[in-house]
Amino acid sequence: VQLVESGGGSVEAGGSLRLSCQASIYKYCLGWFRQAPGKEREGVAVISGTIGKTVYAGSVQGRFTISRDKTKNMIYLQMNSLNTEDTAMYYCAADCTWVEGHRALAPSNFRVWGQGTQVTVSA
């Protein structure tokens, strides 16, 4: 599986960005993670490979939306109402061991990672 992210950039607080991830094999569960300087990588949103069940981190619930386009082997992360706390490197990941609840957001569940795309939100 190969993953290629795009769509990162700089935006002012309150703005929006959409991240994209091209996945060479689509059948796996997929997710978005982020890592800010000096902090551990954390799960943002994940989607299961079968029925498309989604799980979000509490900090992004209601602001971010994960979606997928099976015809294009793409997943997306629509990010609205961005704030400075959202500044981080964002990673796409695939091939997970699916678990129920917020444990699905654990980075250790995922085996394949993209290179990341930077998101910077200014005040």
Side-chain angles (χ1 to χ4, degrees), residues 31-116:
W32 287 99
F33 297 77
R34 66 187 182 187
Q35 188 167 17
K39 295 186 177 181
E40 294 186 354
R41 190 170 297 188
E42 63 175 355
V44 174
V46 297
I47 185 166
S48 69
T50 51
I51 62 173
K53 185 175 183 178
T54 58
V55 180
Y56 293 92
S59 60
V60 306
Q61 183 80 47
R63 299 189 298 124
F64 291 12
T65 303
I66 187 171
S67 62
R68 61 186 183 183
D69 184 336
K70 292 184 177 181
T71 65
K72 298 179 180 179
N73 283 1
M74 296 286 291
I75 67 163
Y76 304 99
L77 184 69
Q78 178 65 44
M79 305 185 294
N80 298 327
S81 301
L82 286 161
N83 59 59
T84 57
E85 296 295 311
D86 297 315
T87 294
M89 184 71 77
Y90 282 72
Y91 298 90
C92 177
D95 190 11
C96 80
T97 300
W98 185 261
V99 293
E100 291 301 319
H102 281 81
R103 292 183 301 159
L105 294 167
S108 59
N109 292 338
F110 286 75
R111 287 175 276 277
V112 181
W113 294 84
Q115 294 299 307

Side-chain angles (χ1 to χ4, degrees), residues 9-17 80-84 120-123:
S10 297
V11 65
E12 292 184 351
S16 300
L17 283 173
N80 298 327
S81 301
L82 286 161
N83 59 59
T84 57
T120 302
V121 184
S122 59

